Every structure is written in C-alpha cells, then in structure tokens.
Amino acid sequence: MSSREVINSSKIDSCVARGRARFNLGDHWGAHEALERAWLVVDGPPKVHLQGMIQAAAAFHKLIVEDNAIGAERLLSRALAALEYAPEDAFGLAIDQLRAELKAWRNRLPSMVPVDDGRVVGVPRLEWAASSLEAEISVDTVRLHRVSGQSRKSIVVEIRAGSAQGWGECRVPWRDHGPWTALKDALAPALVSEKFRAPSSLPVHFEELASESAAVAGIEHAAWDLWRRVREISLDAALGIAARPLSEARRFQGHDLKSITNFLAGDEPSSNGDPLVIELRPNADRRIAAALAEMNIDFGRLILDLGGAYRPADSKVIEALDRLGPMLIARPYPAHALAEGVRLRSWLRSPLAMGPFASEREADSARRIGACDVFIVDPLVIGATATIDIAEMAETYAIPIWLAGSASTPFGAQLERALAMHSAFALPPMIGGAGELTGFEDTDTNQVNHAEERDVAAEPSEHPDAVLISTEDGPTPKWLVDVVSETWTLKA
C-alpha cells in the first residue's frame, strides 16, 4: 500500500473500533460522530455501507434520546437500504447480524411500547465478524516503571502481546499517587482481560474505571505504540496522521528577570521565526514587563505561558504585558475558567490561548462562548485519541491549536511529535523535555520530517528504545534501567 493508503486504513480501523465501542455502550451519537470521521476518508461502495451504519446510530439516538419513533423508523429504512449490498464482514463487523436486527427494529417501531420505566431494551450491538477476530490484540503483560527526577515524576507504561512491546508515558503530579493506583488497581487488570482491535476504543472502555485521565492517557499511549509495532508502521501513520515538516517552539523555563532578559538578548532568531515560549508567574512578571519594554525584540514571536496561575485580580499585570505588543498570551487562568477567558478577551489586544482542555466537549464550550482565540492541548493529559478529536474540531472551525507538551521521557516526546504533525497544528509545538527524567539526549529538537522522504512502514530512526539491554523481564531501554525506582508487573 502507498503511504496515504496506510494512513487512511489506520484511521478507518481506529474510527470504526471507537464507533463500535460507543454504540455498544449506548452512546449512539458518539458512535455517529466516530463513524462519520471514517466516512470522510472512505471511497466507493464502502462509503455507502458506512453511511448505513451512521444512519443506524442516528436512528437509535433519535429513538432513545429524542423519543422520536417516526424519525427513527425513517432512518432505519435508509440504513437498511445503504447496507443491502454490504459484504457480511464490511469494516470487520458482523453485517448480516446487524441487518437482521435493524430490520426487526424497523418492523417493531410502529407498535413499540417502552418498558414501565421508559427504557428501550434489546438495542442491537455492533459485533466483530468471525473472520476479523484474529486482528484483535490480546495483552498478556502490563509492567509499570516509576521514575523520578529533581522536579518531575513519571510512570513508564510497558505492555506486551506475545513478542511485541508497546511503551507509553503517564505524567504524575509530584505529590499525587492517584495515577499509579489507577493503573495498578483498575486499568492494567482491565487491559489484560479484554482484547482490543484499535487503541482508540480503550478510552471508551476505561472512562468509567478511573477518574485519572493521565493514567488512561498513559495506557492508551502504550497501546498505540504496541499497535503500530504489530502493524509495522510509524506512530504517526498508526494515528492516521500524514507526516509533514515539523519545527518546534523553543522553551525557556527560568522565572527570574536576569535569566529571561539574558536569554532574549542572546537569542538569534531562526530563519523560520520559530516562537519563543517564556514561562511567567505572578509577581515576577511585574519586573519582567518593564524590562521587556526596553528590549528591541520581536514580540510577535513570543508566547507568554502564564501556567494557569493567575487570578482575576492579576488582570492589571496581564494588561501591562499586553501593552508591550501583540503576542500569544497562553493559559492565564485554569482551562475551566471560561468566563474569565471571555472577560479577558473583551479588552486584550493579543490573542489568548486557553487549555489544556480535558475533552473535545470542553474545548467546544470554549469555542461556543468565545473564551479564547487558540486552543491548547497536552496529549499526556487527555490522551492521543482526544487530542486528535480536538484537533479535527478546531480544524473544522478554523481555530488555531497549539500542542504544549509536558513529556519527561523519550516515549512521551515521541507521541507529542507524532500528534503535532496533524495538519490542524499550525503553531510550532512545544515538545516536553524528554531528557528531564531520563538523561536521554533528545536530538530531535527542530528536526524536520518529510512525508515524501519517509516510508511509513519504516522504523523511525529516533525511536527512544533504540538501545535495548537484556533483563530478567526481557528487552528494556538502557536509559530506563538506569533511572527506574520501582517496577510492578501484572501477567494475564
């Protein structure tokens, strides 16, 4: 297959698996949305067949949520017409079974009476066809590696299916043991007990198991890495993303005035004008604003990352920063403080970026009320699938989106780079510090990846487990062996 065909195949498989999971949980509108994203890249008769499944999902949403049996019956008739000539295993699903159940429901609707409490029971399920079950992945081992540095902690998630391995990163707040507990007590046991066809379905299955979104994101990350290794393709292709040239924002993490001004005074603007990210915090910013006003710099290249640490009372300081010149002012308030974003945006000259958002729904709420000009996402906070959801929603509404990564291991940095290649990310991403915990030298900064020059089936040369050593638990990256402080293992 060509690179484009590989990418489209991954996207279709991912969206169908997620749509099936949503459908079977009763979230028929979520299934409709997931299947529609696959429909956008399908051509020929399969597009019609997929349209039938989308209409079936819409029919049950109309029946159960909107209580509109007439509209549901009409949609089921359209779905059956679209699925009439679909192969019995189209998209890996048991289509014959689905057709029979849809036909029975269409005939039943005119005289249907809900049970006493108003519930609709016996709704069809989307099942995998027998011929496609071999494509499911069964994880037999989950291993958690706890690592820590001077200012950050992280959990490296390792999963295995036979001889194949997958690696992911779960970010951990310094004083929080929640992600470790969620992974160990809930998510790891669930993963080894249930097969998956594509990693995109895992957040659907896990959303009721653990409230720790970073833990779900970490195990989903490892599943994507495993899935792409089984398929022998690159991570970006597995995510359904076409590789493109990628440059990165430069980040400066010092908060004191002298360090920041020295950094800006000594900066040599790159030929492509990559942005500079300066992290500011309340109080220090008052002196910095005055110092920046005296410097001859291109403020248009600056991203002032305020870290969500500001209060409405700090608006005078933000106003002083804004007077310096139009620049991107990022996350002055926590992502959920949308009303404050609306208020701030009413007088701010500079564009305002808010986030990282916890879901596509939260980002869409910000869009609807005009809370920001730019979306911020962090894949290690919400996971790869949700990151793509927000990116595609932002692309639909022509809203700029910025990937502000928080990775502290090479695995996390690799995921951030793969996702940042999505066409929705017009702003150069801020990739997390891959060497902060590991001592791993991240040589990828500002690396340019050309889709035309790279075979999606090739193993990326920058892969973070390129140097493996043998341990009693099997092949393990050398850098991880040097920094791990605790390891926990679960076998099926």
Side-chain angles (χ1 to χ4, degrees), residues 174-480:
W174 183 248
R175 297 183 182 275
D176 187 4
H177 298 284
W180 178 268
T181 302
L183 285 165
K184 184 167 65 75
D185 294 347
L187 299 177
L191 186 63
V192 299
S193 64
E194 184 170 344
K195 298 179 180 179
F196 67 90
R197 187 179 171 91
S200 58
S201 65
L202 294 179
V204 179
H205 294 305
F206 292 163
E207 60 188 8
E208 300 298 329
L209 285 178
S211 60
E212 294 284 349
S213 62
V216 176
I219 211 160
E220 182 201 353
H221 176 191
W224 279 110
D225 192 43
L226 174 67
W227 195 57
R228 70 100 183 165
R229 291 169 190 259
V230 170
R231 289 189 162 211
E232 298 182 331
I233 58 178
S234 62
L235 183 57
D236 45 273
L239 291 163
I241 297 172
R244 64 183 176 95
L246 181 67
S247 58
E248 299 173 16
R250 297 177 57 201
R251 176 174 60 171
F252 182 76
Q253 292 184 280
H255 296 160
D256 62 285
L257 174 62
K258 184 176 181 181
S259 297
I260 290 176
T261 53
N262 287 347
F263 171 72
L264 291 173
D267 176 65
E268 292 294 332
S270 59
S271 59
N272 57 1
D274 293 338
L276 303 173
V277 182
I278 307 295
E279 295 184 351
L280 296 183
R281 295 297 179 266
N283 298 321
D285 50 20
R286 302 172 189 273
R287 289 168 291 127
I288 289 170
L292 290 178
E294 299 176 0
M295 300 183 69
N296 181 24
I297 59 175
D298 178 8
F299 288 101
R301 293 181 59 215
L302 291 186
I303 298 176
L304 299 186
D305 185 358
L306 307 185
Y310 284 63
R311 306 162 299 166
D314 296 316
S315 60
K316 290 296 183 182
V317 177
I318 297 176
E319 185 178 355
L321 293 170
D322 182 50
R323 284 198 298 267
L324 297 176
M327 64 191 83
L328 182 61
I329 295 180
R331 44 188 173 196
Y333 309 120
H336 56 79
L338 298 182
E340 295 302 331
V342 173
R343 183 188 61 80
L344 188 60
R345 194 167 173 240
S346 66
W347 55 261
L348 203 63
R349 291 188 310 159
S350 299
L352 176 65
M354 291 283 283
F357 294 110
S359 65
E360 180 186 7
R361 182 175 300 177
E362 189 175 281
D364 194 42
S365 295
R367 176 191 68 82
R368 289 175 182 274
I369 67 174
C372 61
D373 303 284
V374 178
F375 289 162
I376 300 175
V377 294
D378 183 345
L380 297 192
V381 172
I382 60 172
T385 302
T387 297
I388 294 172
D389 287 345
I390 295 177
E392 295 189 349
M393 185 265 287
E395 197 167 39
T396 298
Y397 293 104
I399 299 173
I401 183 169
W402 182 45
L403 190 152
S406 59
S408 55
T409 74
F411 297 123
Q414 186 195 35
L415 177 69
E416 290 171 355
R417 287 195 181 89
L419 288 165
M421 291 184 189
H422 193 291
S423 57
F425 291 103
L427 296 172
M430 182 175 70
I431 305 301
E436 185 174 341
L437 292 181
T438 65
F440 177 87
E441 289 297 327
D442 187 356
T443 58
D444 264 350
T445 303
N446 294 320
Q447 179 179 1
V448 176
N449 299 293
H450 296 282
E452 298 79 12
E453 298 173 1
R454 184 163 68 82
D455 183 355
V456 296
E459 187 78 10
S461 60
E462 72 275 10
H463 197 269
D465 63 357
V467 180
L468 296 172
I469 63 174
S470 296
T471 68
E472 61 181 13
D473 296 321
T476 305
K478 183 180 183 303
W479 63 262
L480 180 59

